């Protein structure tokens, strides 16, 4: 039997929530944007009215202002968005325990097991749409289908505040005319490549020989073929499974450009400390360190390196990050934003091979030291204690306590 | 839209029942006005589009009039009419 899967997407989530809280701006073009002073000056979300003016997510605040001079720009309130996200999940949770988040504002629900309790999937979708509107005061659009990929496409078909159903009978009419770029996993590069091969719609993609796709894109080619034909059978995670953490990372756009290694080191230390603290909180060690770097020309790259030994020490994370940066970057341009991530996580309780020629006692001491720092910060605040290196430029200091990180959608294939 | 109403945070005198539920008894406005709640007619999760917020909404009767009282994660507000 086919599964019944919903994809619920909160319409213009951040902007809707801000408009809910401030009735006086509801009939104006509104955008939620970062802090231009601290150089987080891009549009994060916009409401329908701002959309009409051509304001797009991701553009600079000044660009948006040019298109729409009367645009109301509001600073983001992440605590509110987190609260609404949790409240929405509570509503979804009353229909099924298979609720999988994709970012803050999107969720998949597998309601196959609940249809005999609450009615057909489309009925549940309508009920969820109504309830979110009544209880949270914001609108959602829901896609209903027999797989996750089509459900997600469905939620984009009609919005705001709507339900779209994609079945085995109608997907050829409704999905196939859509541009290939609407499909999950088709980004800008893939779109261009497909276009060069004469493929513009999902339908054309679906009818392309899968072996050809595989030749063009490798493994992803097969995935695209499956997605376009609705052959995706990936499960919707259960509430409990989703907490499996694959990696812990943190990145920031710094208040000023980073000019040299010392600047980078200051910021890497701040980031590494918050990453290490979170790893210790969750009881993890990282086997791999990854850095992401963006220069002021927005050139961007990621590099990673395996560690000799799994670690949860900020100093080791930071040293590795600096080494990676030294190998891979020549300071052609100053840096605008950097990030560090601990990957290949293993539980801290995993037995480990002790080294004959390395001072294990010293490492243990270091870990105790960092734990003591965690403790001091927990009790007296983040800035009660910090590394001396930070004092080289205190302006960089005010970037990133542990709470400051944002939530982005993680990969689709979490189970792999 | 909704210019006649503003979000007014209020103090609440309430009774906490044996089962942990909260029963609001009296609303105290910041300007000193007090209103005894004669009846709680309904309780559900709802958004206040008029005042701007969302939480647990109590439909309460004060004298002859029904009005809403919201528990927004521990802070309470009413939709106060402004003339």
């Amino acid at each position: 039997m086919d599964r019944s899967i919903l994809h619920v997407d909160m319409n213009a989530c951040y902007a809707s929530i801000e408009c809910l809280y401030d009735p006086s701006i509801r009939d104006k073009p509104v955008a939620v944007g970062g802090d231009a002073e601290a150089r987080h000056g891009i549009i994060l979300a916009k409401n329908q009215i701002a959309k009409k003016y051509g304001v797009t997510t991701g553009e600079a605040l000044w660009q948006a202002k040019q298109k729409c001079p009367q645009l109301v720009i509001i600073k983001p309130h992440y605590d509110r968005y987190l609260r609404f996200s949790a409240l929405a999940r509570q509503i979804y949770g009353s229909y099924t325990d298979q609720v999988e988040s994709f970012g803050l504002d999107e969720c998949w629900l597998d309601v196959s097991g609940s249809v005999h309790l609450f009615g057909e999937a489309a009925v549940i979708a309508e009920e969820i749409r109504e309830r979110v509107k009544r209880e949270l005061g914001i609108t959602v659009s829901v896609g209903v289908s027999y797989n996750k990929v089509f459900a997600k496409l469905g939620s984009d078909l009609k919005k705001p505040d709507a339900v779209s159903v994609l079945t085995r009978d109608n997907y050829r009419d409704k999905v196939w005319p859509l541009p290939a770029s609407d499909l999950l996993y088709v980004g800008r590069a893939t779109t261009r490549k497909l276009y060069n091969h004469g493929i513009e719609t999902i339908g054309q993609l679906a009818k392309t020989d899968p072996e050809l796709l595989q030749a063009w894109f490798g493994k992803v080619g097969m995935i695209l073929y499956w997605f376009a034909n609705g052959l995706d059978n990936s499960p919707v995670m259960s509430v409990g499974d989703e907490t499996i953490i694959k990696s812990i990372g943190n990145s920031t756009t710094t208040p000023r450009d980073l000019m040299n290694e010392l600047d980078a080191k200051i910021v890497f230390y701040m980031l590494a400390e918050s990453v290490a603290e979170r790893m210790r909180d969750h009881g993890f060690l990282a086997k791999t360190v990854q850095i992401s770097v963006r220069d002021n020309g927005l050139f961007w790259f990621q590099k990673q390196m395996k560690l000799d030994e799994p670690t949860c020490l900020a100093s080791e994370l930071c040293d590795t990050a600096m080494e990676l940066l030294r190998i891979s970057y020549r300071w052609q341009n100053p840096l605008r934003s950097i990030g560090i991530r601990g990957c290949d996580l293993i539980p801290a309780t995993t037995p480990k091979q002790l080294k004959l020629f390395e001072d294990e006692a010293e490492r243990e001491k270091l870990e105790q030291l960092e734990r003591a720092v965690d403790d001091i910060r927990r009790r007296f605040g983040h800035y009660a204690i910090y590394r001396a290196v930070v004092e080289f430029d205190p302006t960089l200091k005010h970037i990133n306590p542990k709470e400051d990180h944002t939530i982005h959608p993680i990969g689709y294939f979490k189970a792999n | 839209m909704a210019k006649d109403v503003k979000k007014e945070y209020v103090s609440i005198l309430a009774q906490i029942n044996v089962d942990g539920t909260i029963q609001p008894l009296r609303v105290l406005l910041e300007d000193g006005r007090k209103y005894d709640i004669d009846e709680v007619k309904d309780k559900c999760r709802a958004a206040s589009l008029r005042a701007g917020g969302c939480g647990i909404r109590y439909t309460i009767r004060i004298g002859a009039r029904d009005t809403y009282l919201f528990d927004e994660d521990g802070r309470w507000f009413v939709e106060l009419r402004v003339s």
Side-chain angles (χ1 to χ4, degrees), chain A residues 135-146:
Chain A
E135 297 183 16
L136 304 185
I138 57 175
T139 61
V140 295
S141 52
V142 191
V144 184
S145 194
Y146 57 94

Side-chain angles (χ1 to χ4, degrees), chain A residues 142-242:
Chain A
V142 191
V144 184
S145 194
Y146 57 94
N147 66 65
K148 282 165 77 180
V149 172
F150 281 3
K152 183 162 164 60
L153 283 170
S155 67
D156 274 338
L157 277 183
K158 215 160 106 195
K159 53 189 181 181
D161 199 18
V163 173
S164 311
V165 184
L166 293 173
T167 62
R168 284 189 191 277
D169 300 322
N170 73 4
Y171 77 86
R172 286 181 193 82
D173 303 329
K174 291 198 170 177
V175 173
W176 281 9
L178 299 173
S181 54
D182 281 4
L183 204 60
L184 204 61
Y185 265 60
V186 180
R188 228 180 311 170
T190 311
T191 309
R192 201 173 47 233
K193 223 163 154 185
L194 284 171
Y195 183 80
N196 289 341
H197 290 293
I199 298 170
E200 288 178 56
T201 65
I202 295 178
Q204 289 170 332
L205 180 61
K207 286 178 211 149
T208 309
D209 184 353
E211 282 183 22
L212 213 51
L213 287 170
Q214 193 158 18
W216 295 337
F217 297 102
K219 203 171 130 195
V220 178
M222 272 321 274
I223 293 173
L224 294 180
Y225 178 79
W226 290 330
F227 281 9
N229 282 289
L231 301 171
D232 162 50
N233 56 6
S234 54
V236 177
M237 297 286 147
S238 294
V239 175
D241 299 344
E242 232 191 317

Side-chain angles (χ1 to χ4, degrees), chain A residues 19-24 26-27 83-84 87 90-91 132-138, chain B residues 1-3 7 9 45-55 57 71-73:
Chain A
C19 286
L20 170 69
Y21 272 89
D22 187 352
S24 69
R26 273 181 215 158
D27 45 2
R83 172 169 174 250
F84 272 74
L87 287 171
Q90 268 176 28
I91 294 177
V132 174
K133 191 158 75 167
R134 189 176 63 235
E135 297 183 16
L136 304 185
I138 57 175
Chain B
M1 188 196 291
K3 286 210 174 73
K7 185 178 190 176
Y9 284 104
R45 191 164 266 292
S48 164
L49 293 179
R50 275 149 53 92
C54 104
R57 184 183 73 188
D71 171 4
E72 191 183 49
D73 283 355

Side-chain angles (χ1 to χ4, degrees), chain A residues 107-404:
Chain A
C107 272
W108 277 286
L109 284 66
D110 186 334
V111 294
S112 313
S114 330
V115 284
H116 62 283
L117 285 174
F118 302 107
E120 276 179 53
V123 176
I124 297 178
E126 278 294 339
E127 209 173 302
I128 286 176
R129 184 183 65 78
E130 280 290 331
R131 272 188 72 185
V132 174
K133 191 158 75 167
R134 189 176 63 235
E135 297 183 16
L136 304 185
I138 57 175
T139 61
V140 295
S141 52
V142 191
V144 184
S145 194
Y146 57 94
N147 66 65
K148 282 165 77 180
V149 172
F150 281 3
K152 183 162 164 60
L153 283 170
S155 67
D156 274 338
L157 277 183
K158 215 160 106 195
K159 53 189 181 181
D161 199 18
V163 173
S164 311
V165 184
L166 293 173
T167 62
R168 284 189 191 277
D169 300 322
N170 73 4
Y171 77 86
R172 286 181 193 82
D173 303 329
K174 291 198 170 177
V175 173
W176 281 9
L178 299 173
S181 54
D182 281 4
L183 204 60
L184 204 61
Y185 265 60
V186 180
R188 228 180 311 170
T190 311
T191 309
R192 201 173 47 233
K193 223 163 154 185
L194 284 171
Y195 183 80
N196 289 341
H197 290 293
I199 298 170
E200 288 178 56
T201 65
I202 295 178
Q204 289 170 332
L205 180 61
K207 286 178 211 149
T208 309
D209 184 353
E211 282 183 22
L212 213 51
L213 287 170
Q214 193 158 18
W216 295 337
F217 297 102
K219 203 171 130 195
V220 178
M222 272 321 274
I223 293 173
L224 294 180
Y225 178 79
W226 290 330
F227 281 9
N229 282 289
L231 301 171
D232 162 50
N233 56 6
S234 54
V236 177
M237 297 286 147
S238 294
V239 175
D241 299 344
E242 232 191 317
T243 41
I244 300 167
I245 301 173
K246 293 273 177 182
S247 70
I248 294 179
N250 223 337
S251 67
T252 189
T253 300
T254 48
R256 65 166 175 82
D257 281 342
L258 306 177
M259 308 305 292
N260 51 40
E261 274 196 17
L262 178 63
D263 287 349
K265 193 171 178 182
I266 295 173
V267 179
F268 267 138
Y269 250 119
M270 308 276 304
L271 295 172
E273 287 201 319
S274 120
V275 171
E277 187 177 344
R278 272 155 57 210
M279 289 204 307
R280 287 190 291 268
D281 276 356
H282 291 104
F284 284 121
L285 301 172
K287 280 168 34 183
T288 301
V289 173
Q290 185 187 67
I291 60 166
S292 57
V293 172
R294 190 187 293 274
D295 74 14
N296 62 2
L298 300 189
F299 163 75
W300 184 83
F301 70 88
Q302 259 182 356
K303 279 273 187 291
Q304 62 178 42
M305 186 192 259
K306 272 227 173 317
L307 293 160
D308 293 337
E309 246 182 291
T311 188
C312 62
L313 292 176
S315 50
E316 291 183 1
L317 291 176
C318 184
D319 289 346
T320 315
M322 286 306 293
E323 200 181 327
L324 275 168
L325 186 68
R326 251 172 243 137
I327 299 169
S328 50
Y329 196 64
R330 297 270 164 265
W331 294 96
Q332 303 89 329
N333 285 309
L335 297 181
R336 179 183 164 83
S337 99
I338 56 178
I340 180 169
R341 177 167 290 278
C343 320
D344 277 340
L345 300 182
I346 55 167
T349 47
T350 314
K352 62 175 178 179
Q353 175 67 52
L354 299 180
K355 293 259 171 74
L356 203 50
F357 302 107
E358 225 169 79
D359 192 355
E360 290 291 338
E362 184 63 32
R363 281 191 90 206
E364 230 162 78
K365 263 188 176 166
L366 270 175
E367 189 178 332
Q368 275 171 15
L369 177 71
E370 292 201 6
R371 279 185 190 282
V373 171
D374 293 350
D375 226 29
I376 291 171
R377 286 185 168 164
R378 200 154 27 236
R379 291 172 62 190
F380 303 109
H382 191 82
Y383 296 111
I385 183 165
Y386 50 82
R387 306 233 176 206
V389 68
V390 172
E391 277 299 305
F392 278 110
D393 187 345
T395 53
L396 292 175
K397 174 170 88 176
H398 295 286
I399 46 169
N400 158 59
K402 201 168 136 197
E403 306 90 51
D404 211 37

